[in-house]
Amino acid sequence: MKIIWTFTLLMIPGVVSSIEVTGYSGGGVKISCKYYEGHTENEKYFCKGTWPQCTEQIKTNVKNKWVNSGRFSLHDNTSSAVIRVTIRDLSEGDSGMYYCGTGKFGIDSSTEVNLKVITDQPIRTVRGYSGGNVIINVKYEKKHMNHEKLICKSGADQCFPVINTNRAAEWTHDRRFSVHEDGSAGLFRVFIRELKENDSGKYKITVKVSEDYSFFSEFNLNIKKDDCVKNISLSAAAGGSVNISCKYPQSHRSDVKFLCRRSGADLCAEETSVNESRRWSEGKIRLYDDREERLLKGSISHVTEQHSEYWCGVQSDGGHKSFITRVLVNLTETSSSPPPSSSSSSSPPSSRPSHKPTTHVGTTENQVFCMVIT
């Protein structure tokens, strides 16, 4: 990089506009700078710092074509007299004052850009397996709740708008993709079902703040085949219970495991998770993580739904969830036995559920479900 001494000696910057830009570490921003239409033939630049010393980040005389220089890209759209600049892989050190301008001798038409980069844990890679599902969580400041959002897969004509419904349980669906925004939590989620290997690739989530700028985050989705059981069908008497047992890899012993029930468009109408070894969780869905045996053991009691769909999976530190095994529970005759009693969550009597199912067809005690982390 070099200092634009020539510009500072031979021109006076005439600021056309000034914009405030927010970005997130690991992500990027797109900035649009308007300039005087009479300057379309001039060289265009983007520099960091204040006059008279502004450190050049990118400069070009190329028209109507993107030019790249490291993490910076610049496009001079002469038909609309707009300079478009993209900065990728942001860090906190990128915060500061920038100028984009035309390099016109005499009076330079430039835009003052004040960039603030917020430190965040960027999403780098989300992993899933063919046949399963994933939920990807993206955080942002609440002030961006009503701004337009879009998720796109790079290299494919595949984009989905994120619609803010102000309802925490409502999702927008498009084929195998679903998107949902919870503005009160500053969070929106992307759900991809029935994963395929060709779903792998780079995805970009963009938030359009104004006509002047937008910010984005990118992540790689890595989908692989595995030999795990994908679908399990069980039977239980109405009001009875059923047991499951899920195997997970050694590398995920310390991660959160969960079992959730899907109801219609609600991806997780009822969920129970466990993040401690050898402790029972309480409720209708009870889980026990035996980390020595690498088994997630569960008991679903008071089964009443005619056809209930459950998923077992794991959750990463970023809150991303991988749904691996689909478990269907179908009702048989009505149970005449009383509901099972629950044992203390701190003192499980053994490494398996403390009660036996009233009716249990398709023995899950001997079935192993395999799970992966995102």
Side-chain angles (χ1 to χ4, degrees):
M1 293 189 297
K2 58 183 179 179
I3 306 298
I4 309 178
W5 293 106
T6 304
F7 287 169
T8 60
L9 293 173
L10 299 177
M11 69 184 184
I12 301 172
V15 176
V16 175
S17 62
S18 178
I19 58 176
E20 301 286 329
V21 175
T22 300
Y24 293 79
S25 59
V29 291
K30 294 182 178 180
I31 304 163
S32 295
C33 306
K34 189 73 177 176
Y35 63 84
Y36 296 129
E37 293 182 0
H39 296 174
T40 56
E41 296 303 315
N42 297 105
E43 192 173 50
K44 308 306 187 296
Y45 68 89
F46 188 73
C47 66
K48 181 180 181 181
T50 56
W51 300 101
Q53 295 185 352
C54 194
T55 306
E56 177 187 301
Q57 307 298 312
I58 186 170
K59 179 176 66 174
T60 183
N61 202 32
V62 176
K63 312 300 179 188
N64 304 307
K65 183 179 179 180
W66 281 101
V67 176
N68 302 312
S69 178
R71 297 183 298 115
F72 293 81
S73 299
L74 188 150
H75 181 276
D76 180 11
N77 188 332
T78 56
S79 61
S80 58
V82 171
I83 301 170
R84 293 188 173 91
V85 176
T86 299
I87 313 174
R88 295 173 294 278
D89 196 19
L90 290 170
S91 65
E92 193 173 3
D94 290 319
S95 296
M97 188 67 69
Y98 293 80
Y99 287 89
C100 53
T102 61
K104 172 71 175 177
F105 291 112
I107 298 180
D108 171 36
S109 58
S110 63
T111 297
E112 183 180 86
V113 179
N114 187 6
L115 172 62
K116 178 184 178 182
V117 178
I118 297 174
T119 302
D120 193 16
Q121 184 65 37
I123 306 172
R124 294 299 187 185
T125 301
V126 177
R127 290 180 289 169
Y129 279 64
S130 57
N133 310 325
V134 291
I135 287 182
I136 303 153
N137 295 314
V138 182
K139 295 181 179 180
Y140 59 89
E141 289 187 303
K142 292 183 181 180
K143 66 181 181 181
H144 300 306
M145 181 178 68
N146 295 318
H147 293 145
E148 179 184 351
K149 301 173 182 69
L150 197 69
I151 176 170
C152 300
K153 183 180 181 183
S154 299
D157 184 19
Q158 203 172 15
C159 289
F160 307 97
V162 181
I163 301 174
N164 179 15
T165 62
N166 291 318
R167 292 177 58 184
E170 190 166 334
W171 290 74
T172 302
H173 306 283
D174 190 334
R175 291 163 287 178
R176 294 184 299 113
F177 289 73
S178 299
V179 290
H180 163 259
E181 179 170 27
D182 184 353
S184 62
L187 183 75
F188 71 90
R189 302 177 177 92
V190 180
F191 178 74
I192 310 175
R193 64 179 61 82
E194 300 171 17
L195 292 169
K196 304 175 182 179
E197 284 189 275
N198 60 9
D199 289 324
S200 295
K202 179 174 286 188
Y203 290 76
K204 177 184 288 186
I205 299 174
T206 301
V207 179
K208 185 177 180 181
V209 180
S210 67
E211 293 298 324
D212 293 326
Y213 94 92
S214 60
F215 65 85
F216 61 88
S217 61
E218 295 177 302
F219 64 90
N220 289 309
L221 180 60
N222 187 7
I223 306 300
K224 294 183 178 181
K225 285 185 177 180
D226 69 339
D227 298 325
C228 299
V229 176
K230 298 300 180 184
N231 292 282
I232 302 295
S233 182
L234 304 174
S235 297
S241 62
V242 65
N243 295 340
I244 67 167
S245 180
C246 306
K247 189 78 172 181
Y248 56 83
Q250 175 71 22
S251 58
H252 307 310
R253 291 177 68 249
S254 301
D255 294 315
V256 176
K257 289 85 181 177
F258 69 86
L259 183 72
C260 77
R261 178 177 65 86
R262 183 173 182 181
S263 177
D266 196 339
L267 306 177
C268 251
E270 183 180 10
E271 178 181 333
T272 299
S273 61
V274 60
N275 57 8
E276 293 184 80
S277 179
R278 306 185 71 82
R279 277 182 177 270
W280 279 104
S281 62
E282 292 295 338
K284 179 180 178 179
I285 301 176
R286 303 177 65 232
L287 298 180
Y288 181 82
D289 186 4
D290 188 339
R291 295 182 180 178
E292 292 183 4
E293 297 294 330
R294 294 187 291 117
L295 284 173
L296 175 65
K297 301 180 180 182
S299 173
I300 306 171
S301 62
H302 307 292
V303 178
T304 57
E305 297 288 340
Q306 183 65 35
H307 302 286
S308 294
E309 178 182 347
Y310 294 85
W311 284 85
C312 60
V314 292
Q315 178 175 314
S316 70
D317 291 339
H320 316 305
K321 294 180 179 178
S322 182
F323 298 73
I324 307 305
T325 301
R326 181 171 177 254
V327 182
L328 294 178
V329 179
N330 300 311
L331 293 188
T332 57
E333 73 279 1
T334 302
S335 170
S336 58
S337 303
S341 60
S342 61
S343 59
S344 170
S345 62
S346 60
S347 303
S350 67
S351 62
R352 63 180 61 202
S354 59
H355 56 273
K356 295 183 178 180
T358 307
T359 301
H360 187 184
V361 180
T363 312
T364 55
E365 299 264 342
N366 297 322
Q367 293 178 353
V368 175
F369 310 153
C370 183
M371 300 183 291
V372 294
I373 192 77
T374 58

